[in-house]
Amino acid sequence: MSRSLLEEYLDSVSSLPSRIQQNFATLLDLDHKRSRLHEELDHQVVALQQAMQVQVTGGAKRSRRSTVADASLEAKLEPYVRTCLQCSEDKVQLAKQTYDMVDKHIERLDRSLKKFEEEVKHRTEREAHYPSGG
């Protein structure tokens, strides 16, 4: 029976490291994508702020804002914000899935270890009662 527990363990662990590695690679890709989007969002904000500035006498700048300009600003920035948020949400979901995968695997290992310990205990007790292997 201990042989089947070992085989069961090896089967369950064999794909775990590759799945975890894939999840972390995907998390890294999502992080790079979100970072690039965030940089682009920052550039868009600066460009839109500069476009909304008006030169006033004496070289001072004054912001010329209106509801039309606010709506235009929001319309231009919304896709970037939405995509950044989606990347962040995807990262959180994938991190949770990875955690759950590892947690379930640890629980399986705990159950297998308990079974194995019981099996060893019974075998030891049996050998103590029947020292000649009978």
Side-chain angles (χ1 to χ4, degrees):
M1 181 150 203
S2 63
R3 176 83 171 125
S4 65
L5 284 175
L6 180 60
E7 290 173 344
E8 184 179 310
Y9 167 76
L10 290 174
D11 287 343
S12 71
V13 219
S14 63
S15 66
L16 188 62
S18 63
R19 285 187 284 168
I20 290 173
Q21 188 175 10
Q22 288 171 350
N23 285 7
F24 279 115
T26 303
L27 283 169
L28 188 60
D29 289 344
L30 286 169
D31 192 50
H32 289 310
K33 179 180 178 183
R34 191 215 45 85
S35 183
R36 285 189 309 271
L37 286 166
H38 198 271
E39 286 176 15
E40 183 60 32
L41 177 61
D42 287 344
H43 291 308
Q44 290 293 326
V45 167
V46 169
L48 288 170
Q49 285 175 337
Q50 289 172 350
M52 295 175 72
Q53 295 290 330
V54 184
Q55 245 355 77
V56 182
T57 57
K61 290 183 177 182
R62 187 182 80 204
S63 179
R64 176 181 46 147
R65 301 199 44 122
S66 68
T67 51
V68 173
D70 288 344
S72 172
L73 175 68
E74 185 177 318
K76 288 182 180 183
L77 298 180
E78 185 180 359
Y80 293 102
V81 172
R82 192 175 330 136
T83 307
C84 281
L85 286 172
Q86 185 61 50
C87 280
S88 296
E89 289 172 4
D90 291 347
K91 283 175 56 180
V92 168
Q93 281 301 105
L94 188 56
K96 285 180 182 179
Q97 289 172 5
T98 304
Y99 175 86
D100 289 343
M101 180 181 9
V102 171
D103 188 50
K104 286 178 184 178
H105 186 69
I106 290 171
E107 289 172 1
R108 266 188 268 139
L109 288 175
D110 286 342
R111 287 190 303 271
S112 294
L113 179 60
K114 194 173 197 171
K115 285 179 187 178
F116 182 73
E117 288 172 342
E118 289 173 8
E119 190 177 298
V120 168
K121 180 181 174 185
H122 291 311
R123 183 175 293 154
T124 306
E125 289 172 355
R126 213 176 26 229
E127 288 175 0
H129 287 323
Y130 306 105
S132 64

